Amino acid sequence: MTMWLSDTQKIGVGLTAFGLFFMLMGVMMFFDGGLLAIGNILFLAGLTMVIGPQKTMFFFARPQKIRGTICFFLGILLIFIKWPIIGILVELFGFINLFGDFFPVIVGFLRRLPVIGNILSAPGISKVVDRISGQRLPV
């Protein structure tokens, strides 16, 4: 069964992608606070448009993910008050706590891509990727 995205969700995917791009550029430009702030705003707006406002609130308010939520938003706040290096580190910790459950799914998807899949399935790299993503090897 094919899942169709609404127009709002398509815009949300675009905003999320641009948000990640701006955050990457902000890090590459020696932690430029402006690019990081724009990236954070676009990422949060895109996430809200993809899954909806109510589900976004439930996602960030889950009791088992409260530490990740606090760190993620504290990192955004630190970026806004011009402490970008500390802010991105705190935000990264929160991001991993919030979205870490999705890493095995992402790795599985990337392994099915033509060029990236071959790289991630290489003997030395696959062990590291499996360990980082938390996947268990079949016994």
Side-chain angles (χ1 to χ4, degrees):
M1 184 163 112
T2 305
M3 184 178 133
W4 299 97
L5 295 176
S6 69
D7 289 339
T8 304
Q9 289 175 319
K10 290 177 186 176
I11 294 170
V13 169
L15 287 176
T16 304
F18 274 118
L20 292 173
F21 173 74
F22 273 93
M23 283 193 271
L24 178 67
M25 291 304 296
V27 170
M28 289 176 61
M29 297 292 175
F30 302 111
F31 297 98
D32 181 58
L35 290 174
L36 291 171
I38 291 170
N40 284 322
I41 291 168
L42 290 173
F43 177 78
L44 289 175
L47 183 67
T48 303
M49 290 181 80
V50 169
I51 65 175
Q54 189 174 19
K55 287 183 182 177
T56 302
M57 291 300 295
F58 286 142
F59 177 77
F60 284 111
R62 289 185 298 173
Q64 65 268 28
K65 299 288 186 177
I66 198 70
R67 180 177 60 169
T69 300
I70 290 170
C71 289
F72 185 73
F73 286 108
L74 180 64
I76 291 173
L77 179 70
L78 288 171
I79 289 171
F80 284 160
I81 62 171
K82 303 292 184 186
W83 287 14
I85 296 174
I86 297 170
I88 201 72
L89 292 174
V90 172
E91 185 179 346
L92 182 64
F93 178 76
F95 187 86
I96 290 170
N97 278 304
L98 281 172
F99 300 102
D101 298 341
F102 300 115
F103 288 161
V105 175
I106 294 168
V107 168
F109 172 74
L110 290 175
R111 282 194 170 145
R112 285 183 265 148
L113 295 176
V115 176
I116 298 172
N118 293 336
I119 294 170
L120 292 178
S121 297
I125 296 173
S126 69
K127 289 181 182 179
V128 174
V129 171
D130 288 340
R131 189 172 195 147
I132 290 172
S133 68
Q135 291 180 345
R136 302 281 185 225
L137 295 175
V139 178

